[in-house]
Amino acid sequence: MSSQDVQRPVCIIGLGLIGGSLLRDLAATKHPVFGYNHSTSGARIAVKQGFDVTDDLPAILRRAEETNALIVIATPMDAVASVLDAIREHAPSCGFTDVVSVKAEIRQLVIERDMHPRYVGGHPMAGTSKSGWENSQTGLFHRAAWVITYDYAAECDARGERIPLEWENVFADVVRMTQMVHAEAVPVRVANHDAAVARISHLPHVLAETLAVVGDNGGILAQSLAAGSFKDGTRVAGTRPDLVRQMCETNATALVTVLDEALELLKDARDSLATEEPSIAELADAGYRARTRIEARSGARKESVSPVKISSRPVLRLHPGAPNWVAQLRQTESLGGRIEIF
Amino acid sequence: MSSQDVQRPVCIIGLGLIGGSLLRDLAATKHPVFGYNHSTSGARIAVKQGFDVTDDLPAILRRAEETNALIVIATPMDAVASVLDAIREHAPSCGFTDVVSVKAEIRQLVIERDMHPRYVGGHPMAGTSKSGWENSQTGLFHRAAWVITYDYAAECDARGERIPLEWENVFADVVRMTQMVHAEAVPVRVANHDAAVARISHLPHVLAETLAVVGDNGGILAQSLAAGSFKDGTRVAGTRPDLVRQMCETNATALVTVLDEALELLKDARDSLATEEPSIAELADAGYRARTRIEARSGARKESVSPVKISSRPVLRLHPGAPNWVAQLRQTESLGGRIEIF
């Protein structure tokens, strides 16, 4: 275990697309990693493939406690409360993180159980419209932003309190874990995260579903003519509806705000198309400019003469616990930047 | 020239993404093909690459007339009227087609000039967000639907009139041309085409632009976190705004209809998310079902045990001019099917 690695074993609860891909990536580095799958047959398949996996949640959490593992909650949102209860019972001293796409509701569940001094939230901005262990893969997180929340540290800092060393260690290990799977750790506070993903993750699902329904309303001829623009625009409508519901419904307030923005733009475009001289100039120009700007900034690899791909996210190398390190996190967050632990 | 090939040379007016790709594909089959590019430097580049291209429109149209070529109008919408005038002047007996994405407005321009007995409309459902000769490529139309309109024949048929042989020959040659570039010829009347593309091509552009603007409103953090779902959902917002405007503004009536459908779905979802118990169940379920249905029907290659890919569009083999052939076109249209000429 090098100083760049997570300084403890990793225990993953829930082996769907994200949890399964994380398990595969960490196992590929030979880092000690074990996991839990609630499906007995699913767990059996993973075991046959050579992974250290079980369907016994209390047993795996006791093992996490004995080995002082970092626990990663990778279940759907509706299972998180019961997993937290199980961690409190069977792994009362383990640090833990999660990979769920909405952060406020989980933080609330964690605080209610008084578990926040050992919790660091996470959310990898990676995925496909597929789900389940059978779709998990190595390399899923390569160069993806992996949001890491630090509200607990920010609040300690605001009160002028020393951040507990235990929390700093969990934070550092979560960052190291993202580095081990070649993701880019982006520090973001919970409310800012949930507002941002409403725009760039949850709204895309709602628009994709709307487009799918309106296209389908055109019947068999429209279906036959649907090509690239329609297929790209509806791809995420292929996501399991229960997963979409959990994301959107637990982030409803932020999503309603951005839906109102979208509705206003669409209503204006509609009205401007319904005139004697139909025009969509305003939206077409604004959309093109916005897309161009995002393309340049959203962590796309910059083209360079060197074969080494360079992230477009500014990087800050920091040491948790060093003077002003929480202020550095805030600054990095404001730039959409990434951090590295040294 | 086999009986499966276009029975005359092809003259392409406008060598952007679509016209350029068509020129490349036909040239690759050794079929006689020549083209016009309004940009002198663009034409020079194509000539250097070995293509039979000029920037002299009257000259190329006179050549089309002398060789009885099939003319393909592949300019943006706003240049079509002047190209039609030039064809009337310099190529008064050539049959012609077009590849523009809205069909009613072009048909109107053609009828105004009394050129409809030698016009067959077309629209390949292929493209990328890139434009221009420099992005044209061979194979762009492989397995794409290529809409071919037949309103003139349908109207003759409805009046009990014999369809002129000249028109039947143009129709057959346009179908053969699509076959030569491995597209699938889908017969559709103008109004049905324009209604369908409003749903599956123009609405995707409007939604992509809306998503791009709302995402961009989130500033640098949202831009940094934007990942797959956002990038897929905004891809076509990278299309040049003047091209989007020409598509959407010339099809405004049909687009307003589908925008109203989209607005109603989004408004309902928004209201249902703004309640005490936020829900997006209805839209998430409907969108998933619609996407699944379209995926199955939209000409995606069916998986088969054979390595030969099979189109999911039903095929009708027909002979233009045979008894009831216009009724067969109507039937194929109602199934979103494709035709082959034998």
Side-chain angles (χ1 to χ4, degrees):
Chain A
M1 221 178 269
S2 92
S3 66
Q4 298 297 307
D5 292 345
V6 187
Q7 301 295 301
R8 38 188 144 181
V10 175
C11 168
I12 304 172
I13 307 300
L15 298 175
L17 177 71
I18 300 294
S21 298
L22 181 61
L23 182 85
R24 288 177 190 273
D25 269 356
L26 292 173
T29 70
K30 310 283 184 202
H31 190 82
V33 57
F34 46 94
Y36 159 81
N37 197 335
H38 78 288
S39 141
T40 303
S41 62
R44 237 180 246 150
I45 291 166
V47 168
K48 269 193 197 149
Q49 294 171 331
F51 296 100
D52 189 353
V53 169
T54 171
D55 62 347
D56 185 339
L57 183 60
I60 203 131
L61 289 175
R62 283 192 298 268
R63 182 173 163 198
E65 179 71 13
E66 282 156 21
T67 56
N68 186 34
L70 174 68
I71 297 172
V72 181
I73 304 174
T75 63
M77 182 65 218
D78 60 5
V80 169
S82 65
V83 170
L84 288 174
D85 290 337
I87 292 174
R88 194 163 48 165
E89 182 177 351
H90 302 292
S93 58
C94 286
F96 64 99
T97 184
D98 75 288
V99 295
V100 181
S101 70
V102 176
K103 304 261 64 75
E105 185 147 324
I106 296 209
R107 183 164 148 79
Q108 188 54 36
L109 295 173
V110 169
I111 289 173
E112 282 167 10
R113 286 163 180 76
D114 206 25
M115 298 165 83
H116 45 302
R118 53 187 175 114
Y119 167 70
V120 173
H123 179 209
M125 307 305 297
T128 71
S129 58
K130 311 281 186 183
S131 51
W133 167 262
E134 63 275 19
N135 291 300
S136 65
Q137 52 187 272
T138 56
L140 183 68
F141 309 110
H142 192 79
R143 289 194 171 276
W146 191 308
V147 167
I148 302 186
T149 66
Y150 63 97
D151 296 62
Y152 181 70
E155 287 163 10
C156 290
D157 195 58
R159 288 192 301 262
E161 289 169 18
R162 175 82 179 87
I163 299 155
L165 185 62
E166 180 194 11
W167 190 91
E168 286 177 353
N169 286 339
V170 176
F171 182 89
D173 266 348
V174 174
V175 174
R176 289 192 190 101
M177 181 179 76
T178 68
Q179 289 174 185
M180 290 179 78
V181 301
H182 307 289
E184 302 190 351
V186 179
V188 189
R189 278 160 294 174
V190 164
N192 293 339
H193 167 275
D194 289 358
V197 294
R199 289 181 193 279
I200 52 90
S201 171
H202 303 163
L203 182 61
H205 279 89
V206 177
L207 293 181
E209 281 152 1
T210 301
L211 179 56
V213 172
V214 176
D216 193 48
N217 286 349
I220 197 165
L221 177 62
Q223 290 159 7
S224 176
L225 299 185
S229 64
F230 187 81
K231 288 182 183 176
D232 283 352
T234 57
R235 184 187 63 89
V236 293
T239 308
R240 262 174 41 204
D242 58 314
L243 299 179
V244 175
R245 290 188 59 185
Q246 291 187 34
M247 290 192 301
C248 294
E249 293 171 3
T250 53
N251 199 24
T253 308
L255 183 50
V256 167
T257 301
V258 302
L259 270 171
D260 284 338
E261 287 179 30
L263 280 163
E264 193 178 335
L265 289 165
L266 286 169
K267 185 70 170 48
D268 286 351
R270 182 252 177 242
D271 290 346
S272 159
L273 281 168
T275 59
E276 285 287 302
E277 289 193 27
S279 170
I280 194 160
E282 206 173 323
L283 183 58
D285 289 343
Y288 180 76
R289 282 197 309 273
R291 162 77 187 175
T292 307
R293 203 152 36 221
I294 289 169
E295 185 73 3
R297 286 191 187 157
S298 62
R301 304 85 177 125
K302 279 185 186 148
E303 293 307 328
S304 131
V305 288
S306 149
V308 179
K309 303 288 187 191
I310 297 164
S311 167
S312 63
R313 296 184 188 98
V315 63
L316 185 84
R317 305 195 68 199
L318 61 75
H319 185 76
N324 282 322
W325 80 285
V326 177
Q328 291 179 313
L329 291 179
R330 267 197 220 94
Q331 196 195 352
T332 309
E333 175 179 357
S334 71
L335 300 171
R338 63 198 167 98
I339 54 173
E340 285 180 0
I341 297 283
F342 69 99
Chain B
M1 220 177 269
S2 92
S3 65
Q4 298 297 307
D5 292 345
V6 186
Q7 302 296 302
R8 39 189 142 180
V10 175
C11 167
I12 304 172
I13 307 300
L15 298 175
L17 177 71
I18 300 293
S21 298
L22 181 60
L23 182 84
R24 288 177 190 273
D25 270 354
L26 291 173
T29 69
K30 311 281 184 205
H31 190 83
V33 58
F34 47 93
Y36 159 81
N37 197 337
H38 77 289
S39 141
T40 304
S41 63
R44 239 180 245 151
I45 291 167
V47 168
K48 268 193 197 150
Q49 293 170 332
F51 296 100
D52 189 353
V53 169
T54 171
D55 63 348
D56 184 338
L57 184 59
I60 203 132
L61 289 175
R62 283 193 297 267
R63 181 172 163 199
E65 178 72 14
E66 283 156 21
T67 57
N68 186 34
L70 174 69
I71 297 172
V72 180
I73 304 174
T75 63
M77 182 64 218
D78 59 5
V80 169
S82 66
V83 171
L84 287 174
D85 290 337
I87 290 175
R88 195 163 47 165
E89 181 176 352
H90 301 291
S93 58
C94 286
F96 64 99
T97 183
D98 74 289
V99 296
V100 181
S101 70
V102 175
K103 304 261 66 76
E105 185 147 324
I106 295 208
R107 183 165 150 77
Q108 188 54 39
L109 295 174
V110 169
I111 288 173
E112 284 166 10
R113 286 161 179 79
D114 206 26
M115 296 166 84
H116 46 300
R118 53 189 176 114
Y119 167 69
V120 173
H123 179 210
M125 306 305 298
T128 72
S129 58
K130 312 280 188 183
S131 51
W133 167 262
E134 63 276 19
N135 291 300
S136 65
Q137 53 188 271
T138 56
L140 183 67
F141 309 110
H142 192 78
R143 288 196 171 277
W146 191 310
V147 168
I148 301 186
T149 65
Y150 63 97
D151 297 61
Y152 181 70
E155 287 163 10
C156 289
D157 195 58
R159 289 192 300 262
E161 290 170 16
R162 176 82 179 86
I163 299 155
L165 185 62
E166 178 194 13
W167 189 90
E168 285 177 353
N169 285 340
V170 176
F171 182 89
D173 266 347
V174 174
V175 174
R176 289 191 190 101
M177 181 179 76
T178 68
Q179 290 175 182
M180 288 179 79
V181 300
H182 307 291
E184 302 190 351
V186 179
V188 189
R189 277 160 294 175
V190 163
N192 292 340
H193 167 275
D194 288 358
V197 294
R199 290 182 191 278
I200 53 88
S201 172
H202 304 163
L203 181 61
H205 279 89
V206 176
L207 293 181
E209 281 152 0
T210 302
L211 179 57
V213 172
V214 176
D216 193 48
N217 286 349
I220 196 166
L221 177 62
Q223 290 159 6
S224 176
L225 298 184
S229 63
F230 187 80
K231 289 183 182 176
D232 284 352
T234 56
R235 186 186 62 89
V236 293
T239 308
R240 261 173 43 205
D242 58 314
L243 299 178
V244 175
R245 288 187 61 183
Q246 291 188 32
M247 287 193 301
C248 294
E249 293 170 2
T250 51
N251 198 25
T253 309
L255 183 51
V256 167
T257 302
V258 301
L259 270 170
D260 284 339
E261 287 179 30
L263 280 163
E264 192 179 336
L265 288 166
L266 285 168
K267 186 70 171 47
D268 286 350
R270 182 255 178 239
D271 290 346
S272 158
L273 280 168
T275 59
E276 285 287 301
E277 290 194 28
S279 170
I280 193 160
E282 206 172 324
L283 183 59
D285 290 343
Y288 180 76
R289 281 198 308 274
R291 164 76 188 175
T292 308
R293 204 155 33 223
I294 289 167
E295 184 73 3
R297 286 193 188 156
S298 63
R301 303 85 178 127
K302 279 184 187 151
E303 292 309 325
S304 131
V305 288
S306 150
V308 179
K309 303 288 187 190
I310 298 165
S311 167
S312 63
R313 294 184 189 100
V315 62
L316 184 84
R317 307 195 67 200
L318 60 75
H319 186 77
N324 280 322
W325 80 286
V326 177
Q328 290 178 315
L329 290 178
R330 268 197 219 95
Q331 195 194 353
T332 309
E333 174 180 358
S334 70
L335 299 171
R338 62 199 168 96
I339 53 173
E340 285 180 359
I341 297 283
F342 69 99

